[in-house]
Amino acid sequence: VYVRAVRTPSTRRRRDRVPSQAADEAELTKMIKSMAEDKTGEWIAANCLPDCLFIRPSGNPFKAAEFVTFFGGDVEITEKNLIKIQKLDVGADMAFACTSESGKFTYKGQPNDDPSFTVSSVWKKSGGSWKLAWAHRSTATGNDMSTWESFKP
């Protein structure tokens, strides 16, 4: 007896989603690393939505168009690194990421060494490409990354 498996449209969609989601996750991982290592603001400005806001540790936002002037003005970044992507949740056209990062910079001439801080970001697929939609940076938290381990499933 020959039995042929029948694929329904919903089965096909479910199977197609996995490779697509894996590709989106890989693309976003690269983009998050690029954002975390951007010292000039140029990469961020080129890869965000026009209405994107970045909320600074002070709570003050600035617009996407201001990334380059902010990073080249009051803030001069000398080191910027991704420590770890703590969470990346990718949907069909929206994604959320939470990262631990580090940086050394001067703000209005005052040196700052932030060995670790958290960045939460929202990404949106627009015209087939992922773009930064929103980001928020915490104050420096020091080097104690152990608290993240208690949140692992």
Side-chain angles (χ1 to χ4, degrees), residues 40-103:
T40 65
E42 291 177 12
W43 187 94
I44 296 171
N47 289 280
C48 63
L49 294 172
D51 61 346
C52 174
L53 290 179
F54 186 91
I55 313 304
R56 297 181 285 178
S58 64
N60 297 323
F62 62 94
K63 296 177 184 176
E66 299 169 343
F67 277 110
V68 175
T69 54
F70 182 75
F71 283 9
D74 289 342
V75 173
E76 184 180 334
I77 299 173
T78 54
E79 284 184 37
K80 203 160 176 287
N81 299 294
L82 175 66
I83 297 171
K84 184 176 182 181
I85 297 175
Q86 301 291 352
K87 181 169 183 71
L88 177 57
D89 190 355
V90 182
D93 63 353
M94 298 279 294
F96 168 78
C98 184
T99 60
S100 295
E101 301 179 18
S102 66

Side-chain angles (χ1 to χ4, degrees), residues 110-131:
Q110 184 70 31
N112 287 272
D113 182 0
D114 290 352
S116 69
F117 54 88
T118 302
V119 175
S120 298
S121 56
V122 176
W123 300 79
K124 188 173 184 179
K125 200 175 250 189
S126 176
S129 298
W130 287 102
K131 298 289 184 182

Side-chain angles (χ1 to χ4, degrees), residues 16-38:
D16 291 343
R17 189 173 9 167
V18 174
S20 176
Q21 188 172 9
D24 284 343
E25 189 171 320
E27 181 181 356
L28 281 162
T29 298
K30 282 193 244 179
M31 293 180 81
I32 290 164
K33 185 172 178 8
S34 295
M35 181 177 106
E37 296 175 351
D38 181 13

